[in-house]
Amino acid sequence: GPIAAARAATEDADAQGVAAWQELQVELAHHLQAQGDPRQQLVAAMLLARSIDEYAPAALQAAAAARKPEAQAIFARVRAGAEDPWVLWITATSCRFGAALCDRDGAIDALLRIESDNAAVWLLALDRARRDADREGQLDALRGMAASTRFEQHYSDAIHAWTDAFGLMAELPGFEALLARIMPGSGGDARDGDDLRAM
C-alpha cells in the first residue's frame, strides 16, 4: 500500500545519501593523497579502509571491500620509516590495515625512541610486556612511566589531522550536491567557503 511505498522510497533515498557520502569520502581520500603530509596520507588510508554497516546494501559493502587494497598500499607508504608520533600512535593503538603492515611492536619501539618522556607510550610498552609475560619489560615500562614528564595520547593531533582533511571537503565538486541532499533548502550554493568548511 501507500505506507509500504513511502517506506521503500525513504529507504531508497537513505541508501542513495549513504552512497553519495561514501563517494565523497573516497574523492576526499584521493584528494588527500596529493598532499605530501604523512598525516593527511594516513587520513586518506583510513577513509578508504572504513567499514560499511553490515545492513548497508550489498553494492556498498562490495565497494568498501574493493577499496581496502588501495588503503593498505597508502598506509604501507606512510608507515615505511615513519617518525611522525601521531602516525606511530595510530599504528600502535588502532591500526586497521592488518598485523603484517601495522607492526605494532615496531611502532611502540619507535615511539619509545622519540617520545621516551611520554608516559602514555610507556603504558603501551607495559601492556605489551604484560601480554608477553616479560617481567623485566614490565619493570622497565614502570620505570619509564615514573620518569616521564607528560601523558600524551595524541588526541589533539588526531583532531587537527581530521579537521584539516575534512576542511578540504568543501572544495570537492560533489560537496554542494551532497549538502543539498542532506539539508534540502539549506541554500548550500549561496554559502561561502568558510561556511561550507564549517559544515
Side-chain angles (χ1 to χ4, degrees), residues 21-34 40-52 60-78 96-97 162 165-166 169:
W21 174 239
Q22 293 299 323
E23 287 172 15
L24 195 64
Q25 288 188 81
V26 170
E27 191 177 337
L28 175 61
H30 291 152
H31 185 66
L32 293 173
Q33 285 184 65
Q40 295 302 293
Q41 297 279 320
L42 178 56
V43 171
M46 293 168 78
L47 282 169
L48 291 171
R50 278 191 168 171
S51 299
I52 300 295
L60 284 181
Q61 293 186 35
R67 288 193 294 268
K68 293 230 170 145
E70 182 182 4
Q72 290 174 325
I74 296 168
F75 175 75
R77 289 194 299 272
V78 173
R96 61 183 76 180
F97 302 98
W162 283 95
F166 277 101
M169 189 171 272

Side-chain angles (χ1 to χ4, degrees), residues 25-187:
Q25 288 188 81
V26 170
E27 191 177 337
L28 175 61
H30 291 152
H31 185 66
L32 293 173
Q33 285 184 65
Q35 314 295 317
D37 181 72
R39 294 183 178 193
Q40 295 302 293
Q41 297 279 320
L42 178 56
V43 171
M46 293 168 78
L47 282 169
L48 291 171
R50 278 191 168 171
S51 299
I52 300 295
D53 188 285
E54 63 180 315
Y55 301 108
L60 284 181
Q61 293 186 35
R67 288 193 294 268
K68 293 230 170 145
E70 182 182 4
Q72 290 174 325
I74 296 168
F75 175 75
R77 289 194 299 272
V78 173
R79 177 69 181 90
E83 290 291 317
D84 183 292
W86 183 62
V87 171
L88 291 167
W89 182 265
I90 291 296
T91 303
T93 60
S94 55
C95 185
R96 61 183 76 180
F97 302 98
L101 280 178
C102 293
D103 182 20
R104 291 174 194 242
D105 287 340
I108 292 171
D109 292 338
L111 282 167
L112 288 171
R113 188 180 71 254
I114 65 177
E115 293 198 324
S116 60
D117 64 333
N118 185 354
V121 175
W122 286 108
L123 193 59
L124 296 179
L126 177 62
D127 184 61
R128 175 177 65 181
R130 289 180 57 211
R131 181 192 68 217
D132 296 342
D134 176 3
R135 182 167 171 71
E136 191 58 39
Q138 292 175 48
L139 292 173
D140 285 344
L142 290 170
R143 291 186 198 104
M145 290 172 70
S148 294
T149 58
R150 63 193 177 106
F151 188 91
E152 173 61 66
Q153 294 181 298
H154 297 285
Y155 291 137
S156 61
D157 291 331
I159 290 169
H160 285 298
W162 283 95
T163 302
D164 289 348
F166 277 101
L168 297 172
M169 189 171 272
E171 300 172 11
L172 301 178
F175 180 76
E176 290 187 21
L178 179 65
L179 183 63
R181 177 190 291 275
I182 294 172
M183 301 180 67
S186 65

